[in-house]
Amino acid sequence: MSVRPPQSLRQFHSTDSGFNVLEYELMSERASSLGRHGLKVESALAELRAWDAARHSDAERDSLVDKASDAVWAFFIQRETCGLRNGRDVIQRYAIPKEVLARVGAVRR
């Protein structure tokens, strides 16, 4: 006796069709972009952590917090584009400070 999958689960497009090739390329680009945004978040947070009150001004710290919040915001948007809705794991993994999270999505003039 042989078992076959239900017809509703069968793919109608072969792996060689243009649709699947395009879908693969789009998924690849989304993943690549997500990685680039993650690197930007890491870099911005590292700069913020490297700030020293003895050598730098408060204005520089505000600028670094703004830069980090913009990077985190762009990363969250890219994650949502990839279908990843929950950001709690990202906040823990990257150890994003609360002052950065408070500014995520804020429009500055």
Side-chain angles (χ1 to χ4, degrees), residues 23-24 36-37 44 57 59 63 74 79 82 96 109:
E23 186 66 26
Y24 176 81
R36 287 191 304 270
H37 281 286
S57 68
S63 174
R79 280 179 49 87
C82 293
I96 301 172
R109 294 177 189 230

Side-chain angles (χ1 to χ4, degrees), residues 28-74:
S28 174
E29 183 56 36
R30 282 187 209 121
S32 177
S33 180
L34 186 62
R36 287 191 304 270
H37 281 286
L39 291 174
K40 288 179 185 178
V41 168
E42 288 176 356
S43 173
L45 291 175
E47 288 178 25
L48 181 60
R49 289 184 187 107
W51 179 84
D52 183 18
R55 296 184 303 172
H56 302 99
S57 68
D58 288 338
E60 287 176 297
R61 179 164 177 78
D62 281 342
S63 174
L64 290 173
V65 171
D66 287 342
K67 180 180 175 183
S69 67
D70 289 345
V72 169
W73 189 24

Side-chain angles (χ1 to χ4, degrees), residues 45 48-49 61 68 91 94-102:
L45 291 175
L48 181 60
R49 289 184 187 107
R61 179 164 177 78
I91 294 169
Y94 288 98
I96 301 172
K98 290 182 181 181
E99 65 180 336
V100 172
L101 290 173

Side-chain angles (χ1 to χ4, degrees), residues 77-89:
I77 291 171
Q78 185 61 36
R79 280 179 49 87
E80 286 186 14
T81 301
C82 293
L84 305 168
R85 306 277 187 248
N86 190 352
R88 281 181 274 173
D89 58 334

